[in-house]
Amino acid sequence: MTTSANEDIGPTSAMGSWRSMNPKASPTTHTLVVDESLRDGLQSPSVRNPHLDEKRELIHAMGAIGVDVVSIGLPAASTRAVDDAAALLKEISDARLPIRATAAARTTEADVAAIAEVSQRGGASVEVYAFIGSSPIRHYTEAWSDDFLVQRVAAAAKAAERAGLPFCLVTEDTTRASPSVLSRLWAVALDSGASRLCLCDTVGHAEPSGVEALVGFARNYLDAHGAQSVELDWHGHEDRGLALANALTAANAGVERIHGTALGVGERVGNVAMEPLLYNLGLAGRRPRTSLSALRHYSDLAARSFAFPISTFAPLVGERSRSLDEARTARCALAQQQKTEARATVEPPLEEGWMPIRLRLNGDNIEHMTRPSRTLLEMLRYDLDLVGTRQGCDKGDCGACTVLIDGEPHLSCITLAASCDERSITTVESLKGPPDLDPLLDAFDRCAAGQCGFCTPGMLMTATALLRKHPRPSRDTIKRALSGNLCRCTGYGAIFDAIDLAAKIRAGEEPPGVGLPGEHVPPPLAPQQEKAPTKEKAR
Amino acid sequence: MSDRDERLVGKRGRRGDLTRKVRGETRYTDDIKLPRMLHAKLVRCPHPHARITQVDATRVLADPNVVAVITGRDLPRRFGIIPWTPDEYPLALETARFVGDAVAAIAALDERSADEATRRLDITYEVLPHALSLDEAERKVEVGLGANRKDNVSKRVDLSFGDVDAALAASDVVLEGEYYFEGTAHAPIETHCAIAQYAGDGLLTVWSSTQVPHYLHRELSRVLAVSPARIRVIQPPVGGAFGGKSEPFALEFAAAKLAMVTGRPVKILYTREEEFYAHRGRHPMAMRYVVGATKDGSLTAVDAKTRIDGGAYSSFGLVTTYYSGQLLTLPSFAPNYRFSSVRYFTNKPPCGPKRGHGSVQPRFAFECMLDRIAEQIAMDPIELRRKNAVGADSTVNGFRVTSNGYLECLARVEEASGWKERRGKLGRGRGLGVASSAYISGTNYPIYPNEMPQSAVQLKVDRSGVVTVFNGASEIGQGTDTLMATLVADELGLDLGAVRVVSADSDLCPVDLGAYSSRGTFMNGNACIAAAREIRQKLVQAVAAKLEVAPRDVFVSRGFLCAVGKENEAVPVTEAIVLAESRFGTLGATGWYKSPPKLGGDYRGGTIGASPAYSFTAHVAEVTVDERTGVVEVVKVWCAHDCGKALCPTLVDGQIEGSVYMGIAEALLEEHVIDNRGLHRGPNLLDYRIPTSLDVPDIASILVESHDPEGPHGAKEAGEGPLHSSIPAVANAIYDAVGIRLDRLPFSPGRVLAALRAERPEARRTALGGT
Amino acid sequence: MLPLPRFRMFRPTTVAEAAGLLRDLGEDAQLVAGGTDLLPNMKHGLVGARALVSLQNVAALKGVRVERQSLRIGALTTLESLAEDGRIRELAPGLAEAAEAVGGPHHRRMGTLGGNLCLDTRCRYYNQTHFWRSALGFCLKKDGTVCHVVAGGQKCVAAASNDTAPALIALDATISLESVRGEREVPARSFYTADGIYNTTRERDEIVTAVTLPIVPGRTSGFDKLRRRNAIDFPLLSVAARVDRDEGGIAALDIVVSALAARPRRLAAAAKVPPGTRPSMDLVHRLSEAAKKECRPLDNVEGDAEWRHEMVPLLVERLSRRLGLG
């Protein structure tokens, strides 16, 4: 449904809304959204790595739906990843998109260096998102000791600091990590200059209540270490179908940035889908609302670029939701159908009423009833059949509709008929024809000052007022007076000549009617002779 | 008419038809009001490329003011002005191909109800990939706008004459140049309008502001599946067209179908915005030219590669693609020529013919190249053109030239502009530029192959002394009605007041193919003279009998026929008519014009560009360039145009001045741009800027008469020719003024400053306030 | 034809009556005087007014009066009469020149000072038909949630396009407003806000009744406008300036640049010029270069934003030299 984006799918507000737990509490924090489509999204096996041009188009689409932060990839993955990331960074700055860029890295100096290279080539800062496994299972499998983890985090953070890039520690599988491990990792990250911590529900393990607990713990930890300025990210997955719920909970809990991907593309079952995330954050008032049509354009573009079909039942962007909109519209229409049986029109148009006006129209005193919303041009042409006044643009750009009101040229297409009450209106039909042809009509025809003749009525009325004020106007005065009347055929020169000639005819310096036809036409038929009384007797 | 001074032809007369048009006595299409007339509006697609999956009119039909809704399925037959590329539906059937493409039409009791209803028609679209530029059209083949759906190619033309590579190799100087001509629109002050009436007797009458009533008549029959004998097409006076109304449009079919469905007259009037979606304006062209010459100024070879952005449909595109190469080989050219032109479809309003169809863009590029060649070999640009003037009676691509006033055109503008004394000597910031061109006087072959005349006239002679000229020609402001009256009045000694002209009514008038390719004067003029001469013969015989002299001794003068030696016994024309009617019976005659057979080259496409005669033009433009603001002002333009014979000099001057105005507007101001969403940047007359009375140069139009052997009294075209070289003349004048070569239109202040910076680094300082 | 929406119309004859109507009609009402800005916008579906209150017959709003220290101009004074009135040409040439630069001759004859003061801001994505805007997906200023000038931007940057605004600010004018709640005076300097959606501090139910300009001996002013055609076009850039001189040299200086975003911008560099400064080319260059840094035209109106930016210093320089600063 693309013509009017209907915002509300749920029960309309008028019927009471159970949408959020505390509808009254107006959210203080403005939640930012991070688009991970081009990083986590590409790690999904069932997604094609789009061409660079398609990635550029996606970046613009992300801007159009209001995404604040975009991950431009994992540069260390390949030289192509570096090139693409640098190109995307440059695209963001060239197109002046209000989007901040981040890039992913393992906690190794080489990975951070790759991001630094992208930042240098792309000519803008890139926030380093360095990830490290933080759950015991990972440690067990990788046989990592705590010290090894701490040393890796410090090294990566320091490398970022040296490159002058902001650093965010991404603790993979945070929702299955022990508080002590998290504290140690966070401590070293903060000490090494991290400005952000990303909490990850990497395998979709958490439930909303768990998210609240984890965010609370992280917030308390930061407060306890005087790091209130450090911000939190939430990155969740859909394995148990709770990704969106968890994301909204994290937002409500004050997490500054929430991650999502187009159509939820991502590892395994995928990430939080960007479209419902943006839409719901908009409804909750956490950020400005995004129009459905923009979201659907974004998802269509992503579907094409990633060759990842939109699932029929995907909220908002799936075929079901789109046809639902249509059905709902049709249902509305059908509902209206029944309603309109009772009432004559779709929604009752405002009853404008009628306004009596008295005009002196081309010398005649007339009375006329008009609708308030009727323009003078519409009244003249369609109600009074004075079709000499023409319409070229109907919004005051071309002058073809010029008439005189109280002797002064006006644009009748942007003059209300009702505002002409008690005024005198002069239109081209008032210019006298033979035998005493108006000098302007005479001169315009003689100089071919009109070719198609469509702008000519407007020119004639402007010229009529001009000659009344300036009987012998200079060429510059003529040009200025006509500068609101556009002509496409003549190049204006013949019009200036004709007005000059008309002035001379009026002043008696030039003979009127030169070259008018009729000089050699056959004479009138002789009058019938009075029959002399015939000799016949009257019968 | 024997003695010169009494003839109207060649004298500065009046238009004659203007007073009735301006006072509303003669009605334009939108002035027509019929009882119970409905108003309809088109519903347009908001996407650059989309498949229409569902149309739900429930909400629309719920409004009692709405009477009927039709969609593409109601008119499922293709049409197109060029018979080989019929790729349009009146209302998009499956896919809409540009933002603004018509997909439905709604008829209502009043225009506001129809307008409001367009916002309630629920249409579901499936957005498709789109291409919005030449580069995208080339690269994104998956958009599949081409006929084969595998690419976006509309038409490809590759032609070669002589041995270009050898000639270039042998040249002393070979220059390359890349040029881009931005698309522009016609922007006539009257927008499209059509009214249809399906009368009680089943006769369908369509009034339309069109340049081709005959082609409209045929396509209405084809698309509506109604016998042409049951359709009447009337073309009221047209409020300007310039090529924008020279094919059938959606509103004509929609109005006709709605009239047939509702049984009531239906009117559709386009808004100014819709005029930009109907478009058919100048094709944007990206051109690459290679021109070779010897150091003594002989052009050796021209090699051109042109990419054309055609927009969503073919329109005249097949012809445009040929014209982009074929119409360059006059007036000055090389003996070896090769051009490759490719027209692409894009998801933008379709381009078509605009004044100087298809040959204004290449002319701009080529005339700029000539200026650069002249500078390279230190030769005066006018001399270079003289030296390479095509003197032979046929061009390198096989077109016959019957009359050629080119050298006189060059001499007249050279002299009038003080070229020799002033060019290069006006000081920095002021300059003179020259350019020249040639153009067709009508296409030699009709758009649909047939052996019938291209133009025809029927005269009805009335015993009251009135002669009525029924002719198919389309009066669109260029003055064909005045021309017809003048020719008949001269031939029969009538006062113009005794001649009526009834034109462009398929019931009343014989066929003329329409007002396009500057064919009006040449073809309708000849038809008119032929018919008038038949009547003249009968009048002469009747008067000869009365005066008892031999017919060859009778001559016609203004209002009378006289015999040599018996001037005092002059017979008034009306009496001559009565005599002739008494003797021969009711007087009437038809006259027609058929273009000469077998014109053009004998190669595929060799007929496209062939014309019975070619006009010639030379421009000199004087400009000032403010190096700090980048603003170019055209101070004066001298234009010498060889029109064969100026039958109505007042009207020829009008065509020259109108053409130069339109050229200067394209050089400095106009650009029809579609942004990267597929939306027109400014579809109104405020954002699409055409010059006001304060933005035009002084124009000196100079009439040159080369007396074409086949033209009516020697006349050739003047409607489109005088536009072409006004644009390169401005470009070359800018070079003379400030030494920069602008190769991209329009020459906006921003582009001028950028070129100045690139050309002269210290220019940066002066342009930026001297810091 | 671009049909107007339906509305009822009221033609009060006094300011009080008009103010009362505005109060009674509430959200639905819209004032109209010349209509040259309102009616085209209504035809584009940008103003959904269901009632128009015409000020055409409110005689009190007409007339120009020269008082002791000030010039009082009625809000209904047409732009044409502003341009041709000898008193205004002499006492406030900047305002006369601004009025003369508006649109075409017919617009200046129909348009009023009050109307021009409250001109709606303009943008390429806003001043279009409903169809065009629906194809775009609408914009922040009307029916949509996204700005297309600054992708994803959340603040409307439509351009102030009224020529009289920069002139009145530079001339230190005061704008009189009246509503049922009484009268108030607002200096032109603080009449405009940076919100492109509604860029004046006029309350919905207030009527601009007059503009008052102080008469200051030794004051000169001027205005200049950048546009592609010499008529009809809205400004791509405009600049107004006021110079007060006394025997010590320049006593006070104000330069205002407009057609950037929603609020005309007073050049900080001009305000900072200390009293007693002597006119010099150096001063002019400093002012024009400062203007270039302070003013950044956006891609909101139909014109090459980069070129407009390059023309900022040039317009300021040319006007400054015309007013004798260099």
Side-chain angles (χ1 to χ4, degrees), chain A residues 129-142:
Chain A
Y129 271 57
F131 51 86
I132 189 154
S134 62
S135 77
I137 303 167
R138 188 70 186 286
H139 297 174
Y140 174 73
T141 45
E142 303 277 2

Side-chain angles (χ1 to χ4, degrees), chain A residues 1 9 296 310-328 331:
Chain A
M1 177 60 200
I9 289 191
R296 282 170 179 164
I310 303 176
S311 98
T312 322
F313 295 93
L316 302 170
V317 292
E319 188 41 42
R320 191 75 185 81
S321 154
R322 298 186 195 214
S323 57
L324 234 183
D325 272 352
E326 290 143 30
R328 184 169 41 65
R331 222 172 40 253

Side-chain angles (χ1 to χ4, degrees), chain A residues 381 442 452 479 488 520, chain B residues 14 28 31 186 495 670 693:
Chain A
R381 288 184 59 77
D442 181 5
C452 82
K479 285 184 179 179
R488 194 61 163 157
H520 298 289
Chain B
R14 291 174 163 267
Y28 290 74
D31 302 343
H186 312 90
D495 183 290
E670 293 186 36
S693 58

Side-chain angles (χ1 to χ4, degrees), chain A residues 27 61 73-74 115 162 178 183 226 244 278 302 321 332 336 338 398 412 434 473 477 490 515 519:
Chain A
L74 176 67
I115 295 180
R162 274 198 309 282
S178 70
S183 305
L244 179 61
L278 273 178
S321 154
C332 295
Q336 263 164 1
Q338 283 80 26
C398 77
S412 60
T477 306
T490 64
E519 201 187 331

Side-chain angles (χ1 to χ4, degrees), chain A residues 209-231:
Chain A
S209 51
V211 173
E212 264 179 29
L214 174 58
V215 171
F217 168 74
R219 193 60 78 192
N220 294 340
Y221 176 86
L222 289 173
D223 294 347
H225 287 72
Q228 287 80 358
S229 67
V230 171
E231 291 191 345

Side-chain angles (χ1 to χ4, degrees), chain A residues 326 344 352 373 381-382 385 390 392 428 431 442 445 450-452 479 483 487-489 492 514 518-520 522, chain B residues 14-16 22 27-28 30-31 33 64 112 124 185-186 240 272 477 495 558 574 654-655 658 661 670 691 693:
Chain A
E326 290 143 30
E352 295 186 67
S373 62
R381 288 184 59 77
Y382 302 134
D385 206 26
R390 299 265 143 75
V428 72
L431 299 183
D442 181 5
D445 189 40
Q451 291 179 19
C452 82
K479 285 184 179 179
S483 58
C487 171
R488 194 61 163 157
C489 296
Y492 301 103
V514 170
E519 201 187 331
H520 298 289
Chain B
R14 291 174 163 267
R15 268 205 69 102
V22 299
R27 288 186 177 245
Y28 290 74
D30 184 37
D31 302 343
K33 207 160 114 174
R112 173 160 46 193
T124 315
H186 312 90
R272 177 55 56 184
D495 183 290
R558 184 62 52 203
T574 311
Q655 290 306 296
Y661 158 87
E670 293 186 36
S693 58

Side-chain angles (χ1 to χ4, degrees), chain A residues 483-484, chain B residues 692 694-695, chain C residues 103-105 108 227 229-233:
Chain A
S483 58
Chain B
T692 72
L694 291 170
D695 304 307
Chain C
R108 294 193 290 275
R227 53 183 169 181
R229 296 185 292 178
N230 291 308
I232 303 180
D233 289 348

Side-chain angles (χ1 to χ4, degrees), chain A residues 128-184:
Chain A
V128 176
Y129 271 57
F131 51 86
I132 189 154
S134 62
S135 77
I137 303 167
R138 188 70 186 286
H139 297 174
Y140 174 73
T141 45
E142 303 277 2
W144 288 338
S145 69
D146 284 354
D147 294 343
F148 169 77
L149 295 173
V150 163
Q151 179 267 329
R152 284 276 297 279
V153 168
K158 282 284 171 273
E161 198 169 38
R162 274 198 309 282
L165 300 176
F167 181 79
C168 164
L169 178 64
V170 181
T171 46
E172 275 181 313
D173 216 353
T174 327
T175 52
R176 290 194 299 180
S178 70
S180 59
V181 166
L182 289 176
S183 305
R184 285 205 57 198

